[in-house]
Amino acid sequence: MKNKRFISLLLAGFFALAPLSVSFAAPTSAPDTSTSTVTSPDGTTRTVTSSSDTVESTSQPDDDDTAAADYDDDYTADTDSSDTNDYDEQGADYDSGSVSLENGVTMEDSSLTPPTISYAQSAMLLDMSSGRILYSKNPDDRVYPASTTKIMTGILALELGNMSDTVTATYDALKDITLEDSHMGILIGEELTMEQLVNGMLVYSANDAANVIAIQIAGSMDAFVQLMNEKAQELGMTGTNFVNACGTHDDNHYTTARDLSILAQYAMQNEQFREIVKKPIYNIPATNKYSSERILVNTNLFLGTSRSTYYYYPPAIGIKTGHTSEAGYCLVSAASYNDTELLAVVMNCANVDTKEQAYSYIDSKSLFEFGFDNYLHQILATVGDIIYDSKVYEAKDDMRVAVTVENDVSALIANKEGSIDEVEKTIDMPEQISAPITKGDVLGTVTYTYKGNQIGTANLVATNDVERNNLLHVFHLILKVLTSPFFFIPAILLIILILFSRHQKKKRERKRRIQQLKRNRQRTSPDNETGTRTPNRNASRTERVSRETKGSNSRYRK
């Protein structure tokens, strides 16, 4: 019972002392004198400390805007309300910092006067560099994309095709093209390069070029449509479904203004795509079917004066027009001014002509003017600015490290007094920064947000070297080894084993002494019958001889 009690006490002591190995770990850096909120990449928030004293033309019958003059003045685009579909969950994520106004309008900064968007069913204005939505109107309404579909066809052609390949137009590619379609007159058997086809499709909105591209890339229209929808899902275009490569109407061929903005932003990251969609004119030289060149004028009125002098807009850099009677007039456009690139999307406008009543251009220009007038790129941080400083673990002479941004950070901010003060800075740094540190080492990140939207981020790099205190480092290593569970727990077990062994040894010695005493008693035990003590049969020979001697000696007799 005593042994069990002893072992229980030892085990209780072990389990009580084992957790102390964590608290005996090598010391961390001391807390600084001021605090800063830091958010880790997983979204958790903690407090990081810092020292306050150291931080501190050929005409065409097409489906695009330019064909407006061919329609009656009283034309009104057909809108089917049953096709409206809202994607609230996606919108909430995409417009995390926007403020909802009336009539389906949201704005990033509700203190600004919204643009006048009178004609478009859906409209959006975005900062191209960050993807921030500055303004939107019914961005998740289901609409028909018409020829803006060719943005997807074009980017797939650039990514999957070879621009220098010679492509022969086939019957399968051209069989569905009619004289009422937008086309560049491709003939069966005509040989064109993939580059010429892509330019003809994106500049002149040629449906025949789109179909030839699709079959050349995928082998069939169905296979190419599958590629289109797979790409749409990859990009997060959850409100889109394609059934053809050129945008001819089909009830199951639909999208949203939000999805088109996602697609356009992605496509404009491709330099070839950017160069093509901003061309006012593209010439195709003579081919095996044509003896003279074809001059293709861009359907986007923002890009030139060949089709109309009313809407030429010098900041414009693309992108794509679209029109069918069911889709109305659609325009996905981009403009660049004062180092700011904006993307505008307007869907289902009822354009009347290419002059004063080309409403898709009126609404798009209103969006651009709102953006350029109310927003300005401002510097948030430049290389060399001290963003943060920190104590360094095991630093020689208690040297601190200061960090700056790896590259300049700028962002589009509302051009009004006090807007820069609304920018929030979040620093993500390790809880412990250890020496040695070399100037230029990446130690963390800084993120800037405005109106709930992330507007910029940069790596934080060291601005100075920090040497390590080697003596302190060795001391911490030894202390870490001694307090490590891999050392501490075996040591405790060894101590317990030694104590247990000693206890067992004492137990054996005690048992041996008891047995010796029992033997001694047996040697002098009394005779059972006479009551006299008789020598034990195990008594030593000396004792027996002594008793015999005493019995025979007359001096012991009475």
Side-chain angles (χ1 to χ4, degrees), residues 3-24:
N3 294 341
K4 292 182 179 179
R5 186 181 299 113
F6 177 75
I7 293 172
S8 299
L9 289 174
L10 287 176
L11 291 176
F14 163 69
F15 287 113
L17 291 174
L20 294 178
S21 61
V22 177
S23 29
F24 284 117

Side-chain angles (χ1 to χ4, degrees), residues 384-395:
D385 293 344
I386 303 302
I387 305 300
Y388 180 75
D389 91 328
S390 173
K391 190 169 183 175
V392 180
Y393 178 63
E394 295 182 344

